[in-house]
Amino acid sequence: MALYSEKVMDHFRNPRNVGVIENADGIGEVGNAKCGDIMKIYLKIDDDIVTDVKFETFGCGSAIASSSMATELIKGQPLSEVLKLTNKAVTEALDGLPAHKLHCSVLAEEAIQSAVKDYYDKNGIAYDPAQFPSLDHDHDHEEE
Ligand code: FES
């Protein structure tokens, strides 16, 4: 049985939304200390809707496929929905990832939340930190 689904291979080979948005409204950059992979997400936001999204990922194939799928899932969505995107949803949309590669999809969830938080910070929009559960790094240390 193949280790990676067709969808993972497709998004790895033909990643959607690769690149940079000049004058992005929100930028999120996160990394995983263990594997050293880095993911950066750029958002263009109009009226609370993600009108454009691009990513740059310096990382493994699963991280690239996760970023690609995550950008597709949030494009055109209101921020309220964008903040609900979990790594589980990204993984499911990819028809699964091997267990030791699940952390790659976590990067996508974190990078997106961090980009929305950046947008809120830059625009002086009030928020509750609980809206960004994946950015709670104390929690990260507890994991494994
Ligand atoms: Fe770390 Fe994939 S191995 S993001």
Side-chain angles (χ1 to χ4, degrees):
M1 203 188 91
L3 192 53
Y4 293 107
S5 73
E6 278 300 313
K7 276 194 190 157
V8 172
M9 293 312 293
D10 177 33
H11 279 262
F12 167 58
R13 292 198 179 109
N14 308 295
R16 283 55 149 188
N17 309 309
V18 176
V20 173
I21 298 178
E22 303 294 343
N23 303 318
D25 296 306
I27 299 175
E29 182 171 353
V30 295
N32 180 293
K34 279 197 189 123
C35 64
D37 292 355
I38 295 168
M39 190 181 291
K40 197 163 178 180
I41 296 265
Y42 300 82
L43 297 177
K44 200 80 203 152
I45 297 166
D46 263 318
D47 240 353
D48 262 15
I49 306 273
V50 172
T51 53
D52 198 11
V53 48
K54 296 249 186 280
F55 79 88
E56 292 176 305
T57 291
F58 182 81
C60 73
S62 299
I64 291 168
S66 295
S67 333
S68 170
M69 180 56 89
T71 55
E72 287 287 274
L73 291 173
I74 65 168
K75 206 185 242 183
Q77 294 294 318
L79 293 181
S80 55
E81 287 301 313
V82 169
L83 286 175
K84 283 188 210 149
L85 184 78
T86 59
N87 81 295
K88 190 163 176 280
V90 174
T91 308
E92 279 171 11
L94 287 169
D95 290 339
L97 281 171
H100 67 288
K101 286 287 177 182
L102 285 175
H103 79 268
C104 316
S105 63
V106 172
L107 275 187
E109 176 187 324
E110 290 178 349
I112 287 169
Q113 292 194 7
S114 153
V116 173
K117 184 170 177 297
D118 179 50
Y119 166 71
Y120 284 169
D121 285 338
K122 281 182 178 147
N123 289 279
I125 299 169
Y127 56 83
D128 177 351
Q131 284 177 270
F132 305 100
S134 76
L135 302 182
D136 174 0
H137 284 288
D138 290 340
H139 172 72
D140 282 354
H141 293 305
E142 283 161 22
E143 281 176 333
E144 182 229 3

